[in-house]
Amino acid sequence: MSDNNKLMTGVLILAAGVIILLGKLGVFSFLGKALWPLLLLIPGIVLHLWYFWRKGPSELLLPGAVLVVYSVVFFIGVIGGFQTLKFTWPLFVFGIAAGLFEYDYFSPRRQKGLLIASLILGALSLILLGWTLFSLPVIYLLAALLIIGGVWLIAARGNRRSFW
């Protein structure tokens, strides 16, 4: 056996051993649990690239944007636990709004009402997202910051120096 063959065989055996060890340690199951939203993100990016490389029509942007936004929502679910979906569900509506906006913006022919529909859906989803986030304990932090800011402005009103 030549030295090159020995090297390749040794590298393959070493790689197989490392893969088996990582599999037994649970690394691959973790990657499968944590990275499955890539199954949505990668096709969304591919659809965008396909359009921007002038290989496909602008209609590809609508599902592409939906897939990208949905994959981000699912990544948030993987990181924060899927109970976060009860607060981030308006982002599903935002995905449709983003797709409609991209399609209208990059389409060579304008369609009446498409921009208005995407802006209405986007605004509605952001309002609903704010509404759901205000049900979190974050509202207490916001209230505390507003109270501190108000007290600070009241205390500084007689002072001629600028605090900013």
Side-chain angles (χ1 to χ4, degrees):
M1 191 182 265
S2 71
D3 285 340
N4 281 341
N5 286 344
K6 288 179 184 178
L7 176 67
M8 284 302 293
T9 304
V11 167
L12 288 175
I13 291 173
L14 177 67
V18 168
I19 289 172
I20 290 171
L21 180 63
L22 290 175
K24 291 304 278 179
L25 292 174
V27 171
F28 296 121
S29 66
F30 168 74
L31 292 177
K33 290 177 187 173
L35 298 180
W36 67 266
L38 285 175
L39 296 175
L40 297 176
L41 182 64
I42 291 171
I45 291 173
V46 167
L47 289 173
H48 277 88
L49 291 175
W50 204 359
Y51 169 74
F52 287 115
W53 287 340
R54 309 282 189 247
K55 303 256 187 227
S58 59
E59 287 83 8
L60 294 175
L61 294 173
L62 188 111
V66 170
L67 287 173
V68 168
V69 171
Y70 285 11
S71 69
V72 169
V73 173
F74 290 132
F75 270 121
I76 292 170
V78 166
I79 291 169
F82 280 98
Q83 68 274 9
T84 59
L85 285 179
K86 66 182 172 182
F87 302 110
T88 59
W89 65 266
L91 292 176
F92 290 115
V93 178
F94 184 77
I96 297 169
L100 288 173
F101 180 79
E102 280 188 5
Y103 173 62
D104 181 64
Y105 187 78
F106 290 108
S107 179
R109 56 190 185 281
R110 297 280 180 203
Q111 295 182 11
K112 281 190 166 187
L114 204 54
L115 178 63
I116 302 289
S118 69
L119 292 176
I120 289 171
L121 281 175
L124 177 69
S125 68
L126 291 178
I127 289 169
L128 291 172
L129 181 65
W131 189 299
T132 59
L133 290 179
F134 276 122
S135 66
L136 288 173
V138 172
I139 191 70
Y140 295 112
L141 176 65
L142 178 64
L145 289 174
L146 289 173
I147 291 169
I148 291 169
V151 168
W152 183 60
L153 288 174
I154 291 170
R157 69 186 158 102
N159 196 352
R160 297 277 182 219
R161 290 185 301 147
S162 174
F163 277 18
W164 323 107

